[in-house]
Amino acid sequence: MKQILVTRSSMPSFEEYADEIKELWDTHWLTNMGVKHKQFQKKLCEYLKVNNIELLTNGHMALELTLQAMELSGEVITTPYTFASTTHAIVRNGLTPVFCDIKPDDYTIDADKIEALITDKTSAILPVHVYGNICEIEKIEKLAEKYNLKVVYDAAHTFGETYKGIGVGNFGDASIFSFHATKVFNTIEGGAVCFKDEKYSAKIYDLKNFGIHGPETVSGIGANAKMNEFCAAMGLCNLRHIDDEIAARKKIYDKYCELLADVKGVCIPSAQKDVKNNYAYFPVVFDEDKFGKSRDEVAEELLSEGIFARKYFYPITSAFDCYKDRFNPLDTPIAYDVSKRVLTLPIYGELGEENAEKICRIILK
Ligand code: T4K
């Protein structure tokens, strides 16, 4: 039986990639901010409509080192409805995540519930543009101004998106992106961060390159989180095809919407106002009482037909084993509830509308 996975890395042709990396065999310059890194950085700034971008080894290190660069302390308000990385980045910086609930319509942080969680220990808000849904930027900005808090967006899912025509990397004090193999846009592994204040670009550069300032000068206590030339080359290739990939994803997304809209007990995404979408994920939330089957039953049925839908994001991070006895998942009842009912359906450019139809047929059966 042919398997369909939740996503499939988009790749250029072998020849295109081989052509892109050919010069590395002449120069033998494979990493440490080489030519491909520089070219890719410049091209990304243009595509993402941002003034600055630092490239890193992956999205997680971009986030973890950004929090470190901002010298945050105490508590960070965030949501548990996300991938492990968001919460781990906070905890691994010695900070305490304070979990705010999400909105039931787009699963992003409920900005109206943030203020009640702010204490004299709060230093930042870390909202997640989950599935590519943009958070309530204006409300969050107002709160940050009022309480003098930093805002770091986990924009791992929002490559290429705009809000009111502005590149999503421009919001908050920083926004981090993931270029992992499973993302709309990939550099095999990779990540990046954009800052409002460019002074942080120098800080993150130190943190990703041992704090080295010259062959005999080390003035910062940095780690190693540089993007290498092969990943940057993959980025240069994939960037040439990104608009086609997003357009192909839109067709799948529209097909799912067409076939699953108006089905009782099935909640599908709705378009956000003023947002240019990248169609990163297609989350479906099942109401067992109305639909007649639970999320888990639907997932099993799909699996029996070789279709690997995924339960992103179940469990919520506050329910992880590693955080047992530390957080209470019931503090965020909406996130907890949605996580038990959500299934993200396969979506990627090469999936094809006929496969999307097949997936819907199985669900509706
Ligand atoms: N913040 C958020 C909100 C995130 O979602 C993520 C990552 C991060 C931060 C951190 O960014 P990175 O440090 O990862 O750059 C995957 C990804 O590994 C992860 O990047 C992503 N979020 C998360 C949502 O999904 P898994 O453990 O579910 O991946 P895996 O290996 O099960 O792969 C899923 C499917 O993707 C496979 O069934 C097939 C396909 N696939 C996978 C790989 C590895 C490919 O087509 N090619 C591949 O090379 O975490």
Side-chain angles (χ1 to χ4, degrees):
M1 189 193 317
K2 194 179 148 243
Q3 289 189 345
I4 297 178
L5 307 179
V6 70
T7 190
R8 187 160 191 254
S9 300
S10 48
M11 295 171 82
S13 70
F14 175 72
E15 290 74 22
E16 184 179 349
Y17 185 63
D19 200 41
E20 192 66 54
I21 60 174
K22 200 160 177 280
E23 68 186 82
L24 303 180
W25 265 259
D26 300 329
T27 61
H28 286 230
W29 192 274
L30 309 183
T31 184
N32 288 9
M33 284 62 80
V35 170
K36 298 291 167 196
H37 184 287
K38 290 195 180 84
Q39 288 172 356
F40 181 44
Q41 200 176 14
K42 188 164 173 285
K43 288 242 150 64
L44 268 182
C45 275
E46 286 161 18
Y47 188 81
L48 296 175
K49 303 182 181 184
V50 292
N51 299 324
N52 62 78
I53 194 159
E54 278 299 319
L55 306 179
L56 290 103
T57 186
N58 56 55
H60 178 79
M61 288 313 288
L63 185 55
E64 193 171 310
L65 297 183
T66 295
L67 299 182
Q68 192 181 346
M70 301 221 145
E71 296 177 22
L72 302 177
S73 62
E75 298 171 355
V76 176
I77 298 173
T78 186
T79 88
Y81 194 78
T82 181
F83 189 56
S85 172
T86 321
T87 304
H88 286 354
I90 297 171
V91 175
R92 286 171 58 82
N93 268 286
L95 302 162
T96 305
V98 173
F99 293 112
C100 182
D101 213 346
I102 57 169
K103 290 183 286 156
D105 53 353
D106 66 9
Y107 321 117
T108 63
I109 195 164
D110 187 339
D112 293 332
K113 292 183 179 157
I114 294 176
E115 193 159 16
L117 299 172
I118 296 174
T119 70
D120 53 7
K121 295 199 196 95
T122 311
S123 60
I125 309 172
L126 203 178
V128 183
H129 298 308
V130 69
Y131 303 133
N133 290 333
I134 307 289
C135 300
E136 292 176 289
I137 306 268
E138 288 94 350
K139 282 189 188 174
I140 293 169
E141 205 172 288
K142 264 196 193 142
L143 280 173
E145 256 173 43
K146 184 169 168 191
Y147 292 96
N148 193 24
L149 303 174
K150 292 268 188 272
V151 179
V152 177
Y153 282 107
D154 183 333
H157 299 172
T158 43
F159 186 87
E161 292 197 348
T162 60
Y163 174 60
K164 296 187 174 167
I166 300 169
V168 75
N170 292 287
F171 299 110
D173 294 281
S175 296
I176 73 98
F177 293 97
S178 164
F179 307 149
H180 185 260
T182 55
K183 295 292 188 291
V184 170
F185 171 82
N186 83 81
T187 60
I188 309 170
E189 288 267 7
V193 54
C194 306
F195 292 105
K196 185 194 271 175
D197 182 344
E198 286 205 34
K199 82 169 184 226
Y200 288 112
S201 303
K203 275 195 165 188
I204 206 100
Y205 190 95
D206 264 10
L207 288 172
K208 78 172 183 184
N209 189 30
F210 309 104
I212 292 174
H213 280 220
E216 297 177 11
T217 318
V218 180
S219 23
I221 309 171
N224 177 5
K226 292 161 275 145
M227 178 180 284
N228 69 56
E229 291 290 275
F230 289 83
C231 290
M234 184 61 116
L236 283 167
C237 294
N238 277 338
L239 203 54
R240 290 183 199 119
H241 307 286
I242 183 66
D243 290 337
D244 293 340
E245 169 65 20
I246 292 173
R249 280 169 175 264
K250 183 178 185 316
K251 284 193 183 156
I252 308 296
Y253 190 97
D254 288 347
K255 183 54 74 183
Y256 280 143
C257 287
E258 177 195 323
L259 298 177
L260 297 176
D262 309 323
V263 179
K264 248 185 159 178
V266 169
C267 177
I268 60 168
S270 47
Q272 285 187 301
K273 197 168 167 279
D274 299 323
V275 172
K276 187 180 138 227
N277 200 341
N278 67 4
Y279 310 99
Y281 293 87
F282 197 92
V284 178
V285 176
F286 293 91
D287 179 335
E288 187 178 351
D289 291 341
K290 292 188 185 137
F291 185 64
K293 294 275 177 204
S294 70
R295 179 271 308 269
D296 289 350
E297 286 171 312
V298 177
E300 267 168 42
E301 193 60 39
L302 286 167
L303 202 56
S304 72
E305 305 259 3
I307 293 154
F308 290 68
R310 291 288 292 266
K311 300 171 190 175
Y312 294 134
F313 286 100
Y314 173 83
I316 52 174
T317 64
S318 51
F320 283 178
D321 288 348
C322 59
Y323 295 127
K324 209 164 160 246
D325 303 326
R326 200 162 163 187
F327 308 118
N328 182 359
L330 296 173
D331 285 348
T332 53
I334 297 173
Y336 185 65
D337 174 57
V338 171
S339 77
K340 288 191 293 180
R341 299 192 289 116
V342 71
L343 197 61
T344 47
L345 302 184
I347 187 163
Y348 50 91
E350 288 179 358
L351 179 63
E353 287 169 86
E354 60 296 347
N355 279 322
E357 279 166 17
K358 177 180 166 189
I359 290 164
C360 292
R361 255 198 322 274
I362 297 166
I363 294 173
L364 296 175
K365 186 180 79 182

